[in-house]
Amino acid sequence: AAWKARVREAWHGVHVDRVDGDLSAADVGGSRAVEAVVALGSLGPDDVDVQLVHGSVGQADELTSSTIVSMTPAGPADEDHARYTGSVRTDHAGRYGFTVRVVPRHPDLVGPAEMGLAAWA
């Protein structure tokens, strides 16, 4: 309960500032590197899961079927931001897209949506 209260209080400081990745067409089975710069406010990397959400893109530029993978901490971007890296593997032909989100992470949470908190790119 104390951890949840601390995360809720600090969540206003969590946001995704930048997402960089190769947007060119990829061959089926190919992969593209993605880097995100995020602010965690007063939270630490163990309090959150920075996730790369990727998949096929529909007619309205929405992700129609997505895969979610955790990104890896890659050190500080500056004194207030952290870098995370991940990769998108293109499993299907056609348009492919990605975004990044930050959600709370704790072993006692049922899932990432339990607290109703998320910061999207």
Side-chain angles (χ1 to χ4, degrees):
W3 179 86
K4 283 183 176 181
R6 182 174 63 81
V7 169
R8 282 189 204 287
E9 179 67 28
W11 197 257
H12 69 278
V14 176
H15 52 90
V16 180
D17 281 352
R18 189 177 78 235
V19 177
D20 295 317
D22 186 351
L23 299 176
S24 65
D27 295 329
V28 173
S31 65
R32 297 283 189 247
V34 178
E35 179 179 283
V37 174
V38 301
L40 301 179
S42 63
L43 297 177
D46 292 339
D47 295 319
V48 301
D49 190 14
V50 178
Q51 299 177 331
L52 177 58
V53 183
H54 64 92
S56 299
V57 175
Q59 300 230 346
D61 289 335
E62 78 283 8
L63 292 175
T64 57
S65 59
S66 58
T67 301
I68 300 169
V69 294
S70 294
M71 298 181 79
T72 304
D78 60 39
E79 67 181 59
D80 295 328
H81 296 85
R83 289 183 318 110
Y84 284 79
T85 59
S87 64
V88 171
R89 182 170 174 84
T90 52
D91 296 327
H92 315 293
R95 295 177 54 205
Y96 220 77
F98 59 87
T99 189
V100 171
R101 72 178 182 185
V102 184
V103 294
R105 176 180 59 200
H106 190 278
D108 293 333
L109 290 178
V110 174
E114 180 178 334
M115 294 180 63
L117 301 172
W120 288 85

